[in-house]
Amino acid sequence: MSLLADLTGSCQVLAPVRNGDSLVFDEIRARDEIHLSECNTRKSVKEIFFPQRERLFAYRGQETREPSFPDEERVLFGVRPCDARSLCLLDPVFDGDDFKDPYYCSRRRNTTVVSIGCNRPMRTCFCTDTGGDPFSLEGTDVLLIDMGETYFVRPITKKGENLLAGRPGFEKAEQDQIRRKGEIIEKAHQSIHSGLNLERIKKELDKDFDNPLWDILHEKCLGCGVCTFLCPTCHCFDILDEGDSRKGERIRIWDSCMFPLFTLHASGTNPRPSGKERMRQRVLHKFTYFVDNHSRVACTGCGRCIRACPVNLDIREVLEALQNPE
Amino acid sequence: MGDPSKQIREAARKLFEEDKVDLIIGFEDGSLPLRATPCFIRKGEDAERLVWNSFCENNLATYLPKKKGRIGIVAKGCDSRSIVGFLKEKQIDREDLVVIGLPCEGMIDRKTVEERMEEGEIIAAEEGPDGIVVKGTDFQEKMKKEDLLPESCRVCTHRNPVLYDVLIGEAVEEQKVADPFGPIRGFEGKTAEERWAYFSGETEKCIRCYACRNACPICYCEACYVDSSEPQWFGKSIESTDTQIFHIVRAFHAAGRCVDCGACIRACPVDVDLRFLNKKIEKDILELFSFEAGEDPDRPPPLTTYKQDDPEGFIK
């Protein structure tokens, strides 16, 4: 991949690499460090824009220091379309009309996203149910499609065009290649499982907050934060002060609606006192509240929560149960 | 020997018929290959869902302290030892519990299977009498079950439930494990710097999702110290010192209580070696107090009792 070699020589490139047994996004300095696999990375690209721990400012005595906003141009290479799309779901939260988070915005501005389409979606993938696609262009600046001996490269945005301008190794696609690309896309679409009707699910969810189904659906949930922390779109955070009167810092960390502290009031009351209310919150936030606020579900169908749940609590089964109440 | 799944279902139906339980906690088929998933059965006809195979990895005892009423529970060796722990710690009433004991020959470690496949998604896995057949879209491989067991199952010497009311099938032969603490001895032989490097390297991966804690049967505290904000005992972020403290304190809290079921390490989404600290403490407790967790319900955990002749050589 001469494009990647050229990129690593000219700017910071983050790409999936093997770290022990898992795939993670990390900086690569040579093209052979990248590990493109059918499987998605263990953690999503969320943390590249919205890190799990972010220092907002630090103080020592009367003196305060704010971190500088990251401004180095970087390329996020080999992102799966579901993860690229997740950025479009985080944008209204951190770069919306009401609030603009300078840390997130600067990282988004300085990052060019090069996605690679999913020729072979996994069994846990359900992007098409959530409005996505194995070759979705949303959130992507350049889309790559693996054609075997070569890559089909398509700039999507101005940013993507700028990234590719003047780079070596491109040839105009031939008719036969375009036809084969169509076949690859068709095959991927056929292999992806589908069956959720999220509009219908939203109607059901809106109808009955106290649906007795929740008593059953939450029962095996352990209440850990695996699903929320691996989720590319879960974005709830907490702001904490760490330190004392002399020195310290204010930080922002990922929070999880699955945790008992999440909505614990200062009075000691917790409106979500048990796992049932917490799991309901997670599902309602993704599939109704976010839809009300931003006109789309806060789920890309990447399947991470399905693969990593310690008790195999499959969000698709939860949604199916809500979709087809007996 | 009959089909254990069928026998569990029969036992479950009988328990409902005889009105001995309100709820049975067991396993049903999962949504993914290599997975069974916990299920909660409340009437006899739903007992059909219950299954037993080498994918029943979760320690179901974890659910017990929060459940009310008369409960039947499917318990393999380690689950039963966790139940003993609850009885010791007065978390459950024996009278309210019906233990459906399952002799166990180890539960397959999905991560090991995935590692062995390296590339390609596993789309199906079938268990047969002579192994597991793992299938992908363009591959198929037969593997021996014993090659796929996690360390906790490989060194397990309590495959049979230590307490039960109904036993499914026949007891299996317990493993003769030459040295269950082999890797720990290796670890003890390292320098303090090397040990610290290993520990901090492992905890560096932690994302503080608390899957280990929540999957762990003995982590039943109503309010965990990490969830306390007033006072806040230590930081809540993934700053290395905070993560390290979390794991150290959890390991201490599990001292003399951990039964090495492996639930923590299975639950961890980022492959932190959570087990070695617990195993080291298990070894210490065994050597100092001749005590093994999950054995005799009437023998209190060593850290809750005091004896004049308790070893104190570690006090410097």
Side-chain angles (χ1 to χ4, degrees):
Chain A
M1 224 196 269
S2 53
L3 170 64
L4 186 56
D6 197 50
L7 288 171
T8 52
S10 58
C11 60
Q12 192 193 21
V13 178
L14 301 165
V17 295
R18 262 192 106 79
N19 181 355
D21 301 324
S22 65
L23 284 176
V24 294
F25 272 94
D26 206 349
E27 186 169 353
I28 61 165
R29 295 185 193 278
R31 73 171 181 185
D32 55 3
E33 291 173 34
I34 193 169
H35 189 97
L36 287 174
S37 146
E38 279 174 30
C39 302
N40 217 332
T41 49
R42 189 78 61 94
K43 290 196 262 176
S44 77
V45 299
K46 170 172 79 177
E47 65 178 350
I48 293 165
F49 301 89
F50 165 45
Q52 186 164 3
R53 181 188 199 278
E54 173 119 61
R55 181 197 284 178
L56 302 180
F57 64 80
Y59 61 90
R60 183 183 285 273
Q62 297 297 314
E63 189 192 329
T64 57
R65 276 177 298 124
E66 274 189 53
S68 54
F69 297 128
D71 59 359
E72 191 188 353
E73 293 287 329
R74 57 186 189 171
V75 175
L76 194 53
F77 196 97
V79 179
R80 291 293 169 187
C82 52
D83 270 11
R85 196 167 170 266
S86 75
L87 299 173
C88 298
L89 299 167
L90 294 175
D91 285 345
V93 178
F94 293 106
D95 187 12
D97 296 336
D98 297 336
F99 303 103
K100 295 214 182 287
D101 180 78
Y103 310 93
Y104 177 89
C105 292
S106 68
R107 290 194 184 100
R108 270 293 263 146
R109 215 170 26 245
N110 302 329
T111 308
T112 307
V113 178
V114 180
S115 304
I116 179 159
C118 299
N119 294 12
R120 291 171 63 160
M122 296 178 77
R123 296 292 157 126
T124 45
C125 294
F126 60 111
C127 58
T128 48
D129 279 346
T130 64
D133 190 278
F135 300 89
S136 166
L137 305 179
E138 281 185 273
T140 290
D141 297 306
V142 176
L143 178 73
L144 306 179
I145 298 176
D146 186 355
M147 305 281 287
E149 71 291 351
T150 180
Y151 283 90
F152 182 87
V153 182
R154 180 177 164 194
I156 310 299
T157 61
K158 193 80 200 148
K159 218 182 197 177
E161 280 173 20
N162 291 342
L163 184 79
L164 299 181
R167 306 269 177 196
F170 294 111
E171 285 168 28
K172 194 166 165 37
E174 291 171 16
Q175 276 307 312
D176 181 51
Q177 289 172 315
I178 293 171
R179 185 186 52 77
R180 273 205 303 123
K181 183 196 70 154
E183 286 169 5
I184 288 170
I185 292 175
E186 177 62 25
K187 203 172 158 207
H189 279 150
Q190 280 170 1
S191 74
I192 202 155
H193 296 261
S194 174
L196 296 172
N197 179 343
L198 292 180
E199 272 177 40
R200 182 155 161 207
I201 290 165
K202 180 171 187 318
K203 270 185 202 147
E204 291 291 334
L205 290 171
D206 283 338
K207 212 157 64 183
D208 189 5
F209 186 75
D210 295 313
N211 190 336
L213 259 180
W214 290 115
D215 290 318
I216 298 163
L217 292 176
H218 91 96
E219 200 160 20
K220 68 182 166 187
C221 175
L222 296 172
C224 72
V226 169
C227 47
T228 51
F229 281 3
L230 297 192
C231 177
T233 68
C234 275
H235 52 264
C236 290
F237 57 80
D238 197 4
I239 292 179
L240 301 167
D241 291 340
E242 289 193 337
D244 52 36
S245 56
R246 286 160 299 148
K247 66 179 170 65
E249 55 188 12
R250 177 162 295 175
I251 57 166
R252 175 171 70 184
I253 61 168
W254 290 355
D255 204 347
S256 169
C257 54
M258 305 310 290
F259 293 162
L261 211 54
F262 186 70
T263 42
L264 182 67
H265 294 181
S267 66
T269 303
N270 193 339
R272 298 187 192 122
S274 81
K276 175 183 145 182
E277 294 84 9
R278 291 173 204 147
M279 186 177 145
R280 178 174 60 192
Q281 163 62 21
R282 189 168 82 84
V283 174
L284 288 177
H285 189 185
K286 287 189 172 303
F287 299 99
T288 75
Y289 307 150
F290 203 85
V291 183
D292 291 336
N293 292 332
H294 306 296
S295 312
R296 54 217 330 226
V297 293
C299 171
T300 65
C302 74
R304 284 188 179 86
C305 58
I306 302 170
R307 286 191 294 279
C309 176
V311 293
N312 186 218
L313 179 49
D314 190 323
I315 185 75
R316 293 169 301 182
E317 292 185 336
V318 171
L319 294 169
E320 272 165 25
L322 292 160
Q323 178 177 318
N324 306 309
E326 283 162 33
Chain B
M1 200 177 89
D3 174 4
S5 295
K6 277 190 190 156
Q7 294 175 39
I8 294 177
R9 289 172 203 151
E10 277 163 31
R13 270 192 295 267
K14 197 159 164 250
L15 288 172
F16 282 114
E17 272 163 25
E18 293 170 359
D19 191 27
K20 287 192 174 150
V21 293
D22 307 307
L23 166 71
I24 289 178
I25 309 175
F27 289 97
E28 66 183 329
D29 284 327
S31 71
L32 300 176
L34 303 165
R35 302 294 305 250
T37 184
C39 74
F40 299 81
I41 304 289
R42 290 194 165 77
K43 42 184 197 266
E45 61 254 45
D46 288 343
E48 275 308 301
R49 286 160 55 192
L50 292 164
V51 299
W52 179 256
N53 52 41
S54 298
F55 312 133
C56 297
E57 58 172 57
N58 302 104
N59 186 336
L60 297 179
T62 301
Y63 293 107
L64 282 179
K66 280 190 187 147
K67 291 284 174 200
K68 303 249 180 323
R70 302 169 305 160
I71 301 167
I73 184 166
V74 171
K76 46 193 179 287
C78 46
D79 305 38
S80 75
R81 295 174 67 209
S82 299
I83 292 170
V84 168
F86 289 143
L87 294 170
K88 267 187 220 275
E89 297 174 16
K90 312 274 185 276
Q91 293 303 308
I92 52 174
D93 285 329
R94 184 69 182 90
E95 297 74 51
D96 289 342
L97 195 67
V98 179
V99 179
I100 305 168
L102 264 300
C104 168
E105 290 181 302
M107 288 298 148
I108 285 167
D109 181 36
R110 325 169 242 127
K111 290 174 188 169
T112 304
V113 181
E114 279 159 17
E115 274 162 42
R116 286 178 53 143
M117 302 319 297
E118 283 190 12
E119 292 297 313
E121 190 189 9
I122 297 162
I123 59 170
E126 280 163 32
E127 184 175 13
D130 37 299
I132 310 287
V133 178
V134 178
K135 290 179 194 159
T137 36
D138 44 19
F139 61 84
Q140 177 164 330
E141 202 175 318
K142 195 168 182 177
M143 301 180 192
K144 280 200 218 133
K145 180 174 159 176
E146 57 262 39
D147 296 336
L148 305 174
L149 298 182
E151 177 72 9
S152 54
C153 291
R154 281 207 299 271
V155 301
C156 169
T157 52
H158 301 280
R159 294 179 143 190
N160 295 298
V162 294
L163 94 170
Y164 55 83
D165 302 290
V166 186
L167 188 70
I168 303 294
E170 284 163 30
V172 294
E173 198 182 331
E174 292 294 357
Q175 301 189 106
K176 306 267 182 300
V177 181
D179 183 8
F181 301 109
I184 298 302
R185 279 179 225 285
F187 186 76
E188 287 171 335
K190 291 180 194 276
T191 65
E193 288 76 22
E194 286 168 333
R195 294 199 302 265
W196 182 253
Y198 182 71
F199 171 67
S200 48
E202 285 303 308
T203 50
E204 193 73 23
K205 296 187 259 179
C206 175
I207 56 170
R208 297 280 294 266
C209 68
Y210 305 130
C212 50
R213 177 195 69 180
N214 289 25
C216 175
I218 54 179
C219 272
Y220 59 73
C221 291
E222 218 161 280
C224 175
Y225 67 105
V226 303
D227 288 328
S228 169
S229 56
E230 195 76 55
Q232 184 174 305
W233 300 106
F234 66 107
K236 299 202 181 301
S237 79
I238 48 166
E239 189 71 13
S240 55
T241 52
D242 297 326
T243 312
Q244 288 159 2
I245 287 283
F246 163 58
H247 288 290
I248 290 171
V249 176
R250 203 180 91 81
F252 271 116
H253 201 178
R257 305 167 68 226
C258 169
V259 298
D260 194 17
C261 67
C264 53
I265 210 159
R266 285 177 161 114
C268 179
V270 288
D271 300 337
V272 179
D273 180 2
L274 295 152
R275 194 173 152 265
F276 83 100
L277 274 186
N278 297 106
K279 202 69 187 165
K280 160 70 177 144
I281 295 176
E282 183 188 324
K283 177 173 172 286
D284 287 350
I285 298 255
L286 186 65
E287 287 169 356
L288 290 167
F289 304 103
S290 308
F291 181 90
E292 239 187 317
E295 299 292 290
D296 175 2
D298 298 321
R299 191 173 166 200
L303 299 191
T304 65
T305 55
Y306 171 74
K307 280 199 236 126
Q308 280 289 334
D309 59 349
D310 270 344
E312 51 185 29
F314 53 86
I315 301 172
K316 302 255 193 291

